[in-house]
Amino acid sequence: MKTYLIDVQGQVTPCCSRSHIAYRFFLPRPGGKLCVDFAYGPKNLEDREKAKTLIEESVGLYVEEEFQEQAKARWESHLPLKNLITVSVDAPDGHRGAAHRHDPEQHLVISRDEASPGLEHGELFKGLWEVTLSVHAIVTDGCAYSLQIWQEEGDA
Amino acid sequence: MSWLACELHTHTFHSDGKQSLSELAAGAKALGFDCIALTDHNTMTGLAGKEEVERENGISIIPGMEWTTFFGHMVTIGLDRYVDWRPVGPGDIHAGLAKVHEQGGIAGMAHPFRPGSPMCTGCYWEFEVSDWNDIDYIEVWSTTFAPVKNNNARAYRFWTDRLNEGYRLAATSGRDWHHQEPTDEPLSVTYLRLEDNDAPLRDRAIQALSSGRATVTLGPRLDLEISREGTTYGIGDVIPGLPESGQTFDQEHVSAVQLSAVQSSFVQVLATADFSVRSGHWELPEQTFTLKLDSNQGVLFEGSLLRDLPQITAEVPAEELKWLRAELWGIIHGVRTLIAFTNAVYFE
């Protein structure tokens, strides 16, 4: 049986870059399997002119002046610019890891004996859990995300 | 003391790498490394089964994690427990560093001048550092064929500036290795000089790096020894201060005691390049290399070094010296560049 704990859709914009969105939820029963489905999109910025502008701005900030023209000439080597949102999990007994990768769809599980890469398996304790969406970068005008978290009963 | 060939910045599929720990370890072993640090982004779960992977591949694995933050990437190594990167804002890095150190770990700036967001989110170091003593090392060479890349050259200059300010800060290389992809570009190695004792290798490696007993190269391992008054010091050591002479000397009336004081302000330097290390894993054309002794007073010595004559001795004035390092320059992969450098020997 699935018990849904979080089911949200959200929208982030470039101003959300460098922020965390945390969802805290109560796991009513110990044990079983905790499932986290997370998806966001679009992944890539398809607008080349906008990408060029963003890259040029970034070069202005991060590249020494004498190499800026050279870096700007190579702007296409950075395409496509990507949105990046990562997921991390905290249990009542401590941190359970992160799934820091570029996949725009992630199906993550944690149970006593197994977990998705990046996450730690271990007892699923009753109590207050937290899933954090770390918004590393949003380069598109808007980026929609969905997050479902549920508990499946029984041993995984 | 013994040397350990290390790759200090690696990833697996537990973050955004495309390799298992076993594949990473086997790949590192095949390239002649003795040790890797696993530094996955914001997770340490890739270390599961570490001991078995170490046994199977005959390689040591140091636990670590790359703090992949919004304001800079920082590699932390030598600690077993996750230290949370998320509460750390651009002005809070010292609080984060304190937690890393409390766990027995050390921390280094990763690729500090790689262009940041949105090309590489958080890759450029933007944390405010008020005390460089809290940072243990700077990864001045990142990725393959590191010395020819502008952002690495900038990191090297940045490290030099901190040394000139009097900070005793180590420098390393790190490939930022994400997948097993063959490359013909020269690979960097950070050699750590370990004390010979019964402590676990990982503890000795962390101690070596935090003490600056490290030398970085694309090929031969460069070492540096400085002797003064019968005592020899190595990379990372601090040479005690000279007694105050308190006056300047008129050469015609200088006394024997004063002359002795002047002479003792010179130190003997021995720089050695070991071309036998990781034999077969790198190539250098036959050539005359340039060996430079660089310092806060600029380059104090420049001479030729050959594969068949891989040692240089020099005598340099130690007055006003804060640090001194050796650099090996030459042609590799068709480019004249810095091939190897030692960490500094420091002067009180």
Side-chain angles (χ1 to χ4, degrees):
Chain A
M1 192 181 83
K2 283 184 172 183
T3 306
Y4 274 88
L5 304 162
I6 292 283
D7 184 3
V8 294
Q9 282 80 45
Q11 178 86 9
V12 282
T13 61
C15 77
C16 305
S17 296
R18 302 182 168 195
S19 68
H20 301 283
I21 301 170
Y23 289 93
R24 304 185 84 190
F25 55 93
F26 189 69
L27 198 69
R29 291 176 303 280
K33 181 163 68 171
L34 186 73
C35 302
V36 178
D37 269 14
F38 174 63
Y40 63 99
K43 178 66 187 173
N44 297 337
L45 173 62
E46 303 294 350
D47 182 337
R48 285 173 60 89
E49 280 310 304
K50 189 168 176 215
K52 186 180 181 194
T53 303
L54 289 175
I55 291 165
E56 286 180 347
E57 282 172 10
S58 186
V59 165
L61 276 176
Y62 298 127
V63 176
E64 289 172 293
E65 203 170 343
E66 61 183 305
F67 300 118
Q68 286 185 4
E69 283 312 307
Q70 178 190 335
K72 283 178 184 173
R74 294 178 58 249
W75 70 276
E76 285 173 298
S77 68
H78 298 291
L79 298 181
L81 293 186
K82 295 171 180 172
N83 292 329
L84 177 62
I85 306 175
T86 63
V87 178
S88 55
V89 179
D90 292 85
D93 64 326
H95 187 64
R96 289 293 182 92
H100 185 103
R101 38 190 172 264
H102 263 284
D103 308 59
E105 276 187 37
Q106 301 204 13
H107 308 284
L108 307 169
V109 297
I110 298 179
S111 70
R112 188 187 65 196
D113 299 321
E114 63 176 12
S116 303
L119 301 179
E120 277 178 36
H121 64 82
E123 291 294 336
L124 295 194
F125 294 106
K126 174 182 172 179
L128 207 54
W129 287 62
E130 188 165 289
V131 164
T132 303
L133 307 181
S134 296
V135 186
H136 288 264
I138 299 298
V139 290
T140 55
D141 290 340
C143 177
Y145 70 85
S146 66
L147 176 71
Q148 284 89 39
I149 302 172
W150 69 92
Q151 184 181 22
E152 289 184 12
E153 290 187 2
D155 291 332
Chain B
M1 294 271 197
S2 52
W3 291 102
L4 196 68
C6 301
E7 170 48 67
L8 295 172
H9 189 156
T10 68
H11 298 281
T12 69
F13 61 69
H14 284 259
S15 59
D16 62 350
K18 306 288 181 213
Q19 57 193 344
S20 66
L21 184 60
S22 184
E23 289 164 338
L24 169 62
K29 183 70 179 178
L31 290 171
F33 287 96
D34 305 315
C35 174
I36 54 173
L38 179 63
T39 53
D40 264 321
H41 301 284
N42 298 339
T43 185
M44 297 179 77
T45 61
L47 289 158
K50 174 175 91 72
E51 288 77 13
E52 192 181 342
V53 173
E54 287 179 312
R55 269 196 308 275
E56 282 177 358
N57 294 283
I59 196 163
S60 298
I61 301 169
I62 297 175
M65 188 179 95
E66 183 173 11
W67 277 37
T68 307
T69 81
F70 308 146
F71 314 102
H73 292 193
M74 181 170 83
V75 270
T76 64
I77 61 174
L79 65 182
D80 292 311
R81 288 177 55 188
Y82 170 84
V83 178
D84 202 349
W85 63 277
R86 294 168 299 181
V88 176
D92 306 326
I93 194 63
H94 288 284
L97 286 162
K99 288 179 183 159
V100 170
H101 291 144
E102 280 166 21
Q103 296 291 328
I106 60 174
M109 299 165 85
H111 47 65
F113 295 110
R114 189 182 300 175
S117 300
M119 289 100 93
C120 179
T121 61
C123 277
Y124 186 96
W125 184 277
E126 294 177 89
F127 285 114
E128 297 157 25
V129 176
S130 56
D131 183 356
W132 287 96
N133 291 311
D134 283 354
I135 303 270
D136 298 286
Y137 64 99
I138 301 177
E139 184 186 273
V140 295
W141 279 7
S142 176
T143 70
T144 57
F145 204 10
V148 302
K149 292 175 178 160
N150 292 338
N151 58 347
N152 289 328
R154 188 177 178 188
Y156 195 81
R157 290 197 305 275
F158 182 84
W159 170 51
T160 305
D161 289 343
R162 300 291 82 71
L163 295 177
N164 286 339
E165 288 166 6
Y167 294 104
R168 291 170 186 162
L169 188 59
T172 64
S173 63
R175 182 169 171 178
D176 204 350
W177 198 0
H178 281 77
H179 47 99
Q180 292 294 313
E181 185 183 62
T183 176
D184 64 349
E185 294 204 334
L187 301 178
S188 307
V189 183
T190 302
Y191 284 93
L192 299 180
R193 196 169 192 208
L194 272 51
E195 287 180 338
D196 297 320
N197 59 41
D198 294 334
L201 180 136
R202 155 251 184 100
D203 295 349
R204 288 185 286 142
I206 295 303
Q207 182 60 40
L209 182 48
S210 65
S211 304
R213 291 198 305 274
T215 183
V216 177
T217 184
L218 300 177
R221 188 183 62 223
L222 193 59
D223 195 8
L224 176 67
E225 286 184 347
I226 298 184
S227 301
R228 204 189 69 189
E229 293 170 346
T231 306
T232 300
Y233 304 87
I235 297 168
D237 285 346
V238 181
I239 300 180
L242 288 167
E244 290 290 325
S245 62
Q247 57 184 300
T248 53
F249 299 102
D250 175 341
Q251 284 296 322
E252 285 184 28
H253 300 98
V254 67
S255 72
V257 172
Q258 287 168 329
L259 186 61
S260 168
V262 172
Q263 285 170 336
S264 71
S265 71
F266 282 78
V267 291
Q268 284 70 49
V269 182
L270 172 67
T272 309
D274 186 339
F275 285 81
S276 70
V277 296
R278 289 179 65 250
S279 181
H281 292 297
W282 48 272
E283 281 181 38
L284 282 170
E286 280 303 315
Q287 61 187 294
T288 301
F289 299 94
T290 301
L291 189 287
K292 294 183 186 178
L293 298 177
D294 197 10
S295 76
N296 56 298
Q297 300 286 25
V299 175
L300 297 179
F301 173 88
E302 193 171 317
S304 297
L305 187 144
L306 298 164
R307 188 184 280 257
D308 295 337
L309 290 169
Q311 277 198 339
I312 274 184
T313 56
E315 190 170 72
V316 300
E319 278 185 284
E320 306 297 330
L321 273 191
K322 292 178 182 170
W323 60 271
L324 187 139
R325 72 178 170 221
E327 295 180 346
L328 187 71
W329 292 76
I331 294 169
I332 186 166
H333 208 57
V335 179
R336 176 169 289 281
T337 186
L338 180 61
I339 291 173
F341 63 91
T342 68
N343 266 272
V345 179
Y346 302 101
F347 295 78
E348 262 185 353

